[in-house]
């Protein structure tokens, strides 16, 4: 199916217009600190994937829904935590509390007693300015326990949600599937846990699990398909990462018109077979940049791989983060300069890419709105 | 170290240069040169043996007012200016608390929380491993917490220089009881969630 797009820079006024009931929308917010995807499935039914913070430290997806006039309590039907890296879960507990009717989806590893013990042990550490590293996950667990919202475990090709055609204005059936993680990935993720051990010095919890343990999603709304790649990477094992997804015989079929590029456009997240077997011709590809401690994604090679497949690549913000030295005492700046050290903000600027279709009358006509500093990447 | 104070060191609370200087250099100045000693020096003074007083001198005293005064209102003996000058002083201009996010061959990546201006957003940077002392290198691990300060050091010779210091926090160890408690709590927590 040929894809058409009309990218345009969007002002605040345009950005606040909600989708029509029969319109499908995919919005990617980030980085701020992390990224979040919102999908309007139709008739004010929303899926939220991951969470990130707006620069004012509020939940970015909640803020976006509020700007559209959407009541998150009624509108959000499914929340997915793709994996427990800091750049994907910031503000997740706040989001969950605001959406008590939503089903929560996460990896099966989240049910493990070992993971809960790790989170509890780290959360009981002495106060540290940077936090314990597990506060968000612990708050999510506590919220789930108190609210009795269903926590649904993602496995390959599992149908997470099904909404009948008659329940949406576009008249199309809605199905959402998880594509990952595989059983092997779940077992490996538990082996990689940063366990608290007796007589070990207490530390802040740091993300150690590889990205290929994350939950990729497949959304089917009639013949419109959407692939949200989380941070899933391509690894050597055929039982892990994109290989496991592609080798799964029961995975849902079709070619996605919208692709949330995995792992911030890293080369590790690229698999040519994904573009051949899971995506439509010249799909809309959206991604957020990432930076931490001097490492930056995407790199030029990763961008070249994306633009070799489609001209419709959009990123929510430029790579890199602003320097923060100007906030410091001149003598401190001089010392940093002498040491050739550069301080960068941990939370870069946030932008957004929103893609909407033409509703039930023109479901394959896509319009792109950009919330600055988002931009289209040219080949 | 003041020689007058060091004579009874073995029988008194441990008195270090740093401790003495810290308390003596930051007293509450209430009346000219009067200095109200801090709690550590109060304990020290309380433990000092009383100086011998001759009978004549005792007769001349109208009363034993000095002995009946609370310890904390005694006047702290002044440390001669020369002795104060023999020590380096350090004035921190900037202080961060950070944790180790990544470790490379030559550098480690850190996330920093600004303790001097808490309203500032978190920062990240990389620091050279070679800047750490051998002891600090032993403490370098993913998640390790440290303080990083940049400030001025004034040497005994009066020299003023900028210095950068990284000190890893000595965090306590997990105990068997803490681990067991977290495992018990984990079972209850997983059971409290409706899994599908």
């Amino acid at each position: 199916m040929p894809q058409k797009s009309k990218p345009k820079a969007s002002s605040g006024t345009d950005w606040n217009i909600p989708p029509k009931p029969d319109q499908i929308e995919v919005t990617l917010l980030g980085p701020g600190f992390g990224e979040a995807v919102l999908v309007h499935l139709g008739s004010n039914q929303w899926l939220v994937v991951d969470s990130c913070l707006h620069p004012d430290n509020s939940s970015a997806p909640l803020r976006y829904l509020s700007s559209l006039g959407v009541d998150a309590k009624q509108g959000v039907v499914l929340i997915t935590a793709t994996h427990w890296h800091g750049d994907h879960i910031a503000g997740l507990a706040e989001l969950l509390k605001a959406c008590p009717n939503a089903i929560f989806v996460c990896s099966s590893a989240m049910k493990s007693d070992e993971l809960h013990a790790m989170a509890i042990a780290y959360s009981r550490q002495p106060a540290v300015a940077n936090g314990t590293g597990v506060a968000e996950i612990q708050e999510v667990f506590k919220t789930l326990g108190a609210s009795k919202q269903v926590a649904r475990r993602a496995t390959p090709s599992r149908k997470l949600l099904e909404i009948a055609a008659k329940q949406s204005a576009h008249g199309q059936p809605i199905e959402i599937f998880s594509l990952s993680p595989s059983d092997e990935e779940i077992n490996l993720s538990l082996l990689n846990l940063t366990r608290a051990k007796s007589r070990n010095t207490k530390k802040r919890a740091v993300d150690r699990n590889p990205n290929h343990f994350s939950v990729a999603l497949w959304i089917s709304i009639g013949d419109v398909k959407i692939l949200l790649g989380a941070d899933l990477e391509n690894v050597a094992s055929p039982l892990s990462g994109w290989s496991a997804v592609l080798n799964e015989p029961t995975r849902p079929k079709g070619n996605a018109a919208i692709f949330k590029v995995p792992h911030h456009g890293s080369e590790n997240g690229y698999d040519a077979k994904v573009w051949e077997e899971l995506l439509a011709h010249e799909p809309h590809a959206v991604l957020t940049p990432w930076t931490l401690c001097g490492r930056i994604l995407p790199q030029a090679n990763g961008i070249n791989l994306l633009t070799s497949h489609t001209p419709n690549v959009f990123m929510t913000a430029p790579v890199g983060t602003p320097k923060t030295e100007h906030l410091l005492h001149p003598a401190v700046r001089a010392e940093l300069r002498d040491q050739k050290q550069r301080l960068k903000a941990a939370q870069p600027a946030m932008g957004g890419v929103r893609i909407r279709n033409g509703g039930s009358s023109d479901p394959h006509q896509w319009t792109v709105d950009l919330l600055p500093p988002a931009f289209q990447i040219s080949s | 170290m003041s020689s007058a104070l060091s004579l009874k060191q073995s029988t008194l609370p441990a008195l270090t240069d740093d401790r003495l200087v810290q308390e003596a250099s930051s007293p509450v100045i209430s009346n000219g040169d009067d200095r109200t000693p801090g709690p550590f020096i109060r304990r020290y003074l309380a433990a000092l043996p009383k100086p011998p007083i001759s009978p004549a001198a005792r007769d001349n005293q109208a009363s034993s007012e000095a002995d009946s005064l609370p310890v904390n209102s005694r006047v702290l003996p002044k440390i001669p200016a020369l002795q104060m000058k023999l020590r380096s002083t350090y004035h921190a201009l900037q202080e961060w608390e950070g944790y180790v996010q990544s470790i490379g061959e030559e550098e480690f990546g850190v996330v920093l929380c600004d303790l001097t201006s808490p309203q500032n957003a978190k920062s990240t940077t990389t620091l050279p491993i070679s800047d750490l002392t051998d002891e600090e290198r032993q403490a370098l691990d993913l998640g390790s917490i440290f303080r990083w300060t940049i400030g001025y050091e004034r040497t005994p010779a009066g020299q003023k220089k900028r210095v950068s210091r990284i000190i890893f926090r000595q965090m306590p160890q997990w105990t068997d009881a803490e681990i067991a408690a977290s495992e018990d709590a984990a079972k209850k927590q997983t059971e409290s969630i409706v899994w599908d």
Side-chain angles (χ1 to χ4, degrees), chain A residues 233-244:
Chain A
E233 293 186 51
N234 200 10
V235 291
S237 168
L239 302 175
S240 287
W242 283 111
S243 299

Side-chain angles (χ1 to χ4, degrees), chain A residues 142-174:
Chain A
K142 285 181 184 173
T143 304
L144 286 171
S147 68
K148 299 301 175 193
Q149 284 166 269
V150 172
R152 190 159 288 170
R153 287 167 288 169
T155 54
S157 302
R158 180 175 188 187
K159 190 184 287 183
L160 302 169
L161 186 74
E162 184 171 22
I163 299 173
K166 62 184 179 185
Q167 288 182 252
S168 299
H170 48 56
Q172 301 295 329
I174 301 167

Side-chain angles (χ1 to χ4, degrees), chain B:
Chain B
M1 173 69 69
S2 157
S3 59
L5 292 176
S6 65
L7 288 174
K8 297 289 180 183
Q9 184 74 34
S10 58
T11 57
L12 295 171
L15 182 60
T16 63
D17 282 17
D18 287 349
R19 197 70 182 262
L20 181 63
V21 170
Q22 182 188 338
E23 290 201 354
S25 61
S26 56
V28 176
I29 305 296
S30 56
N31 181 19
D33 268 344
D34 283 354
R35 294 169 175 221
T36 305
F40 184 82
I41 289 181
R42 288 206 300 274
R43 277 199 296 129
Y44 182 85
L45 290 173
L48 276 174
K50 301 283 185 300
I53 303 175
S54 69
R58 190 181 297 127
D59 290 342
N60 288 338
Q61 273 185 329
S63 66
S64 56
E65 280 179 42
D67 286 347
S68 64
L69 282 173
V71 170
N72 63 359
S73 43
R74 292 183 192 173
V75 174
L76 179 71
K78 283 185 188 175
I79 299 170
L82 179 63
Q83 288 176 18
M84 292 292 284
K85 277 187 179 174
L86 291 177
R87 299 179 183 91
S88 294
T89 58
Y90 178 69
H91 172 58
L93 294 168
Q94 176 67 41
E95 190 171 10
W96 292 276
E97 183 174 286
Y99 69 90
V100 179
Q101 170 69 35
S102 59
I103 303 175
E105 287 188 10
E106 296 180 350
E107 294 180 319
F108 58 104
V110 300
V111 178
L112 302 168
C113 184
D114 190 335
L115 301 181
T116 306
S117 303
Q119 74 277 9
N120 287 346
K122 289 183 181 178
S123 299
T124 70
T125 191
T126 55
L127 299 168
I129 294 174
S130 58
D131 275 8
L132 301 178
T133 63
D134 289 345
E135 191 180 343
E136 303 297 352
R137 282 190 206 195
Q138 295 294 319
L140 179 63
D141 195 6
L142 286 179
S144 295
I145 296 161
F146 63 90
R147 289 289 174 103
W148 181 19
T149 67
I150 293 176
Y152 282 123
E153 184 177 82
R154 199 178 285 277
T155 66
Q159 224 175 6
K160 186 180 177 184
K161 60 180 181 181
R162 273 199 319 264
V163 293
S164 168
R165 290 176 174 166
I166 292 174
I167 299 170
F168 280 87
R169 273 182 67 177
Q170 298 292 314
M171 298 285 276
Q173 295 179 338
W174 271 296
T175 63
D176 288 334
E178 285 175 317
I179 298 297
S182 64
E183 287 170 353
D184 285 348
K187 285 197 177 82
K188 290 175 189 160
Q189 187 164 279
T190 50
E191 286 168 6
S192 73
I193 297 172
V194 181
W195 296 98
D196 174 29

Side-chain angles (χ1 to χ4, degrees), chain A residues 220-248:
Chain A
S220 171
I221 306 172
D223 60 357
V224 171
K225 315 294 181 190
I226 299 162
L227 175 57
L228 305 181
D231 271 0
L232 202 62
E233 293 186 51
N234 200 10
V235 291
S237 168
L239 302 175
S240 287
W242 283 111
S243 299
V245 172
L246 292 159
N247 293 332
E248 172 58 49

